[in-house]
Amino acid sequence: MSTSQYAPNQAPPHQSSLSFTQGFLLGQLSVVILIGAFIKFFIFGEPPSPETTASARALARRNRALAHRRSISINSSPTSQKLHTKRSSNLLRTPPRLTTGTILSKTYYNVNSHQPESLDWFNVLIAQTIAQFRDDAHQDDAILTSLTAALNGTQKPDFLSSIAVTEINLGDDFPIFSNCRVHPVDDDVSGAEGGRLQARMDVDLSDSITLGVETKIILNYPKPLTAILPIALAVSVVRFSGTLSISFLPSTSNAPSATSFSSTTPSPPSSSLPPSTTPTTLAFSFLPDYRLDLSVRSLLGSRSRLQDVPKIAQLVENRLHAWFDERCVEPRVQQVVLPSLWPRKQNTRGPTEEDVKGEERDVREEARREVEDERRAERERRGEGEGLRWRRGVEGSGGSGSGRYEMPGAMPGMTVA
């Protein structure tokens, strides 16, 4: 009776142990599947072809540029145009209103028929500048210090340790600029009537500019320094080609509006209001159809290392393209403030007045020495031409000449009649 009562109660422990084993095996199998999928698709996954990636990036950049142009055309109505005013002097004659058409006509430049220009002289100047920059970089460790400080700045992620620069190669070739052409652009960036003039030129660079770094990926979860993964990267710029656009943005001065002052505060007189002046800048950017070919080498691990992981190369290339698009690709531009071109004493270089006076004194002294040397040489030539000199002898105390001659250096008593 008691055996029959307790026999059915022994089956549930056997079933619970079986379900636990099944769950454990299922969990382990799911972890293995996740790790295998991560390794297959992330580490050993084949990246898309360079042509597909380049076309997709060019299409995205082109759509962004078209959207920006449409927004400019919508916002460039007469009521929404910016007013650009400049201070004018009462003593200067008011010049006629300057437009891009006026500039083109006075410089005899026809945008429709003018042939693209070669930039050989510009290539030489740029090559000299880059060569000097590379030479200065090899003299000291200034570029190494600057790159290390920039890589370890405040924007460095927390899961990365200190970044060390292991390789720097500035290349040995130079960019080639060609096919330069000028055409007007209608937008609201400049204050010139009729838009602004823009120069476009093709740029091509085939070189190997390399930057190599080493760091460690630190996993701080669930506790600090849970795992550390050493990683080494070397990124090289192999080829760059695109179209560079350059234009000048003239300086503008806008007087402060009366609404900027409070109603309780008395506004100063208009003559004492300093205008807000924007300096003249040089704006440059690249068209969206550029091509940037990169070569990324990677090394993961400390003992058993993984070399050249395709997914890491794809992530690095996407990040570098995004960084370049956010700064130098239309509709975004880079502006460089230009200095004043009026001649100023503080900008004068060369010999001073004291140096000029000292040079004049040196020239006069040298001329005087040359004259003295010539006179000395003339006297020496005359002395050599006289040969033997005869002197008229003097006989008697009366001092009257006897008509006899005495040869210098002769024996006493010898005379010549």
Side-chain angles (χ1 to χ4, degrees):
M1 181 68 180
S2 60
T3 306
S4 61
Q5 290 179 353
Y6 291 102
N9 296 332
Q10 296 178 359
H14 178 71
Q15 294 177 358
S16 63
S17 62
L18 183 61
S19 62
F20 173 77
T21 304
Q22 290 176 352
F24 179 76
L25 293 177
L26 183 61
Q28 294 296 322
L29 181 61
S30 62
V31 171
V32 171
I33 292 175
L34 290 177
I35 294 176
F38 176 79
I39 294 175
K40 178 180 180 181
F41 295 102
F42 183 80
I43 298 180
F44 297 104
E46 290 295 334
S49 62
E51 290 76 11
T52 304
T53 305
S55 61
R57 289 170 180 165
L59 180 60
R61 291 191 296 263
R62 193 177 300 109
N63 293 335
R64 184 169 62 247
L66 290 176
H68 178 71
R69 292 193 184 97
R70 284 195 297 266
S71 63
I72 288 178
S73 62
I74 294 174
N75 297 328
S76 61
S77 59
T79 58
S80 63
Q81 286 183 351
K82 298 180 181 179
L83 296 178
H84 298 273
T85 59
K86 290 187 178 182
R87 289 185 296 176
S88 59
S89 175
N90 296 328
L91 300 178
L92 297 178
R93 182 178 60 86
T94 303
R97 185 175 297 276
L98 189 63
T99 62
T100 57
T102 306
I103 296 176
L104 293 174
S105 63
K106 289 187 176 182
T107 54
Y108 306 102
Y109 194 99
N110 190 343
V111 295
N112 298 322
S113 61
H114 200 284
Q115 296 296 325
E117 301 176 6
S118 63
L119 297 173
D120 297 338
W121 62 273
F122 188 69
N123 293 330
V124 173
L125 293 180
I126 293 297
Q128 289 179 347
T129 305
I130 296 177
Q132 184 63 39
F133 171 75
R134 291 170 177 170
D135 185 68
D136 295 340
H138 287 88
Q139 297 298 328
D140 51 13
D141 295 335
I143 185 172
L144 178 61
T145 305
S146 302
L147 286 176
T148 305
L151 294 175
N152 293 277
T154 56
Q155 297 182 355
K156 182 175 69 67
D158 297 334
F159 59 85
L160 291 180
S161 65
S162 60
I163 302 175
V165 179
T166 59
E167 180 183 1
I168 298 178
N169 183 13
L170 299 179
D172 53 4
D173 286 332
F174 304 102
I176 302 299
F177 297 84
S178 61
N179 195 22
C180 180
R181 59 269 187 200
V182 178
H183 61 90
V185 178
D186 295 331
D187 56 12
D188 60 345
V189 177
S190 63
E193 183 180 354
R196 57 190 170 96
L197 294 175
Q198 186 181 77
R200 290 184 178 180
M201 59 196 74
D202 298 336
V203 186
D204 186 80
L205 173 64
S206 297
D207 204 347
S208 179
I209 304 175
T210 307
L211 174 63
V213 296
E214 283 185 356
T215 185
K216 296 178 181 179
I217 300 178
I218 303 175
L219 181 62
N220 294 323
Y221 182 84
K223 61 180 181 179
L225 301 178
T226 301
I228 297 177
L229 178 63
I231 180 173
L233 289 175
V235 183
S236 302
V237 178
V238 180
R239 173 75 182 276
F240 177 81
S241 61
T243 303
L244 174 65
S245 61
I246 301 177
S247 61
F248 288 96
L249 303 183
S251 61
T252 59
S253 58
N254 301 326
S257 60
T259 59
S260 61
F261 297 95
S262 173
S263 58
T264 59
T265 305
S267 61
S270 59
S271 59
S272 62
L273 292 177
S276 177
T277 304
T278 302
T280 303
T281 58
L282 175 67
F284 68 92
S285 62
F286 292 91
L287 297 187
D289 59 349
Y290 76 92
R291 180 173 179 177
L292 177 61
D293 295 339
L294 301 173
S295 174
V296 181
R297 304 190 307 272
S298 60
L299 200 61
L300 296 179
S302 57
R303 293 184 178 179
S304 57
R305 295 189 171 186
L306 293 177
Q307 185 176 3
D308 297 339
V309 180
K311 198 64 178 180
I312 293 180
Q314 184 180 359
L315 293 175
V316 172
E317 289 184 5
N318 291 337
R319 183 55 184 167
L320 291 178
H321 278 88
W323 180 88
F324 189 74
D325 293 343
E326 292 173 357
R327 288 163 175 81
C328 303
V329 180
E330 288 187 353
R332 297 175 176 87
V333 297
Q334 288 288 321
Q335 294 187 7
V336 180
V337 178
L338 298 179
S340 177
L341 299 180
W342 286 102
R344 295 183 178 180
K345 184 66 177 178
Q346 60 184 1
N347 298 332
T348 303
R349 300 294 184 271
T352 61
E353 296 181 358
E354 290 76 8
D355 297 336
V356 173
K357 292 180 180 179
E359 291 179 358
E360 293 179 354
R361 287 194 299 268
D362 295 340
V363 170
R364 289 195 297 267
E365 184 68 20
E366 185 177 358
R368 187 180 61 81
R369 286 195 299 266
E370 290 179 356
V371 172
E372 291 180 353
D373 294 340
E374 292 179 356
R375 292 178 178 176
R376 188 180 301 108
E378 183 67 23
R379 287 195 298 267
E380 291 178 356
R381 286 195 300 270
R382 290 179 180 179
E384 293 177 356
E386 288 179 357
L388 297 176
R389 293 176 299 173
W390 297 86
R391 296 180 180 177
R392 190 180 184 90
V394 180
E395 295 181 358
S397 60
S400 59
S402 60
R404 297 179 180 180
Y405 295 90
E406 181 179 354
M407 185 173 64
M411 295 181 62
M414 290 186 62
T415 57
V416 179

